[in-house]
Amino acid sequence: HRVLNAWDYGVPQKRERLITIGVRKDLNAVCHFQFPKEHIKKLTVRDIKLDRDPPLSECARYSQKKADVFALVPPGGYWRDIDPDIAKDYMKTCWDMGGGRTGILRRIGLDEPSLAVLTNPGMKQTDRCHPLEVRPFSYRENARLQTFPDEWEFCGKLSERYKQVGNAVPVALAREIGICIKKALKGERSSVGKKSEWPLSFISEEDFRRHVIKTIEKYGEKLKSYDIKRFNKNIIDPVKLIFDKTVYHSTWEEIVKNEIFRQRDKSNNNDIGYFHQCIFSYFENCEVPNNGKKGGWDVIFRRPEGILLPKGDVVHTVYIEMKNKHNTMNSSSAGKTYIKMQNQLLEDDDCACFLVEAIAKRSQNKKWETTVDKKEVSHKRIRRVSLDQFYAIVTGQEDAFYQMCMVLPEVIESVVKNSEIKTPNDTVMQELQKRADDTRTSIAMAVYLLGFSTYSGFSQQKSK
């Protein structure tokens, strides 16, 4: 048995369900059930068809009073995102309850999964308001969130159709489980439960995993968890966060996560630059010199049998300068790099020099045309190459970079899940929520107090 979240299996909805699989005793020897593998792509409400003003026969409606209140709630928001007096009047006795009460006046955002589809669209503590219109989701929209095809018919009164949809197991999740059951009955073992053949021929699984671990370790301080003290170390700007939340139709959880990400990510490109460069130290015929050694090149690629360049030119060594993005070099830096390459060609007439860009505008392997001392320069052996093309040259496999990208998410997830690297457990949102609950104020006020706790008016709020 295992608790599965439908969102991990092609369903645009967070819906956790305990799945239990029973196997008859006489099948134990041949039936080896393995649960389905989580999908990399996660769907959101934006991925389904949303109706415009559906008829009353297909969609429940709010009372006018409830609709007026919901009109104040932004997509992705809930009761804490509106005037506290209006929220208190709407919530009645729920106002004094403990906990976050995040289901009350909850309006689903387009770029998030729906919360679990329910059997009744009108329950106050489990509201699910439509992101584009002030109404519940229609029963048909709920069916799409459950991944039912539109041709599937539901019978009975409107309330009965809502109930049929809400009680169902999402179709996409059921299909994944069904496929695994079929494989088990055939005596097959899924790749989740057994060690599958490593798909990359140009780097071993052990080396790739080691390189992923080293890359994550490069994050250093950024792996430390954020509590509210660290979050506000340099005093955040509450007004900016209020603007961002409203303008971008975000929840407080999203805004806080984005701010933590911004603080962490200031130097993260250097860490990913390490991944792109140093992975070649595991490739045959490639060398990654220590900093400043061997001319300061990022990678040196040698092949005794020769390296074929466009138009039939053959060399035996390529010296590589790597850049993360195509636009990270100004004209002065580009000129110095070109001169460095030009000098290398003068020293070694059996080589080429590549400027390899991890994020290029397009896949390319072309002469690098730039400007040195205000003069346009180029050379057939000084080339501008996208990372996918460089992988192809080094490995001899046209789609080698694609192959690497396809296994990368699973390996990173495996490293993190197996606790080989301690990843952050941020508590900022929980601490803000507690402060808001303790003082019976909104999250917005808790955020204001991070920056303005000593300011006139705010200091009185802090002392409540």
Side-chain angles (χ1 to χ4, degrees), residues 311 334-335 338-339 341-342 345 353 366-384:
K311 297 186 178 179
Y338 189 90
I339 292 171
M341 293 180 171
Q342 202 171 43
L345 294 184
C353 295
K366 64 180 184 179
K367 279 197 305 185
W368 183 18
E369 298 176 347
T370 187
T371 302
V372 176
D373 294 332
K374 299 182 180 181
K375 295 181 180 178
E376 293 184 358
V377 292
S378 66
H379 191 288
K380 66 178 181 178
R381 290 191 182 179
I382 299 179
R383 309 195 65 79
R384 192 170 182 175

Side-chain angles (χ1 to χ4, degrees), residues 341-354:
M341 293 180 171
Q342 202 171 43
N343 289 338
Q344 186 65 50
L345 294 184
L346 292 174
E347 291 181 15
D348 180 359
D349 61 3
D350 187 21
C351 78
C353 295
F354 288 178

Side-chain angles (χ1 to χ4, degrees), residues 232-246:
N232 201 39
K233 182 179 179 181
N234 294 318
I235 306 183
I236 57 104
D237 183 349
V239 173
K240 180 182 184 302
L241 297 189
I242 296 287
F243 264 100
D244 289 351
K245 178 186 177 299
T246 307

Side-chain angles (χ1 to χ4, degrees), residues 103-251:
I104 300 176
L105 281 175
R106 183 70 162 88
R107 191 166 189 180
I108 306 299
L110 283 172
D111 295 312
E112 63 178 341
S114 169
L115 300 180
V117 170
L118 304 175
T119 58
N120 186 334
M123 299 293 287
K124 178 182 285 189
Q125 294 193 42
T126 52
D127 284 320
R128 308 278 194 270
C129 184
H130 198 278
L132 301 179
E133 299 178 351
V134 183
R135 61 171 175 82
F137 286 85
S138 69
Y139 87 88
R140 179 56 65 185
E141 289 169 323
N142 276 354
R144 292 172 190 142
L145 292 171
Q146 290 275 59
T147 57
F148 280 98
D150 274 359
E151 58 268 24
W152 192 281
E153 294 185 11
F154 300 89
C155 302
K157 295 183 291 186
L158 181 59
S159 61
E160 292 170 340
R161 283 177 277 168
Y162 270 113
K163 191 171 183 178
Q164 291 165 34
V165 173
N167 278 331
V169 174
V171 175
L173 174 60
R175 180 179 182 275
E176 293 280 344
I177 296 168
I179 290 172
C180 291
I181 292 173
K182 184 178 179 181
K183 287 183 177 180
L185 291 173
K186 286 184 174 181
E188 300 177 15
R189 289 180 182 266
S190 73
S191 60
V192 176
K194 66 175 184 178
K195 187 176 178 65
S196 58
E197 185 178 347
W198 178 244
L200 305 184
S201 61
F202 47 87
I203 183 172
S204 71
E205 182 176 7
E206 181 182 357
D207 284 342
F208 191 74
R209 191 178 189 87
R210 183 185 300 117
H211 186 54
V212 167
I213 291 172
K214 287 183 176 180
T215 301
I216 298 175
E217 286 174 342
K218 288 286 181 181
Y219 279 51
E221 285 288 315
K222 295 185 286 294
L223 292 176
K224 290 186 177 180
S225 299
Y226 269 71
D227 58 13
I228 204 162
K229 183 178 180 181
R230 189 176 186 205
F231 178 74
N232 201 39
K233 182 179 179 181
N234 294 318
I235 306 183
I236 57 104
D237 183 349
V239 173
K240 180 182 184 302
L241 297 189
I242 296 287
F243 264 100
D244 289 351
K245 178 186 177 299
T246 307
V247 171
Y248 300 135
H249 303 294
S250 299
T251 64

Side-chain angles (χ1 to χ4, degrees), residues 231-245 252 255-256 259 262-263 444-453 455 458:
F231 178 74
N232 201 39
K233 182 179 179 181
N234 294 318
I235 306 183
I236 57 104
D237 183 349
V239 173
K240 180 182 184 302
L241 297 189
I242 296 287
F243 264 100
D244 289 351
K245 178 186 177 299
W252 276 117
I255 288 297
V256 168
E259 174 60 21
R262 185 195 67 78
Q263 292 184 26
M445 181 55 70
V447 171
Y448 274 132
L449 291 174
L450 292 179
F452 306 142
S453 61
Y455 287 21
F458 289 99

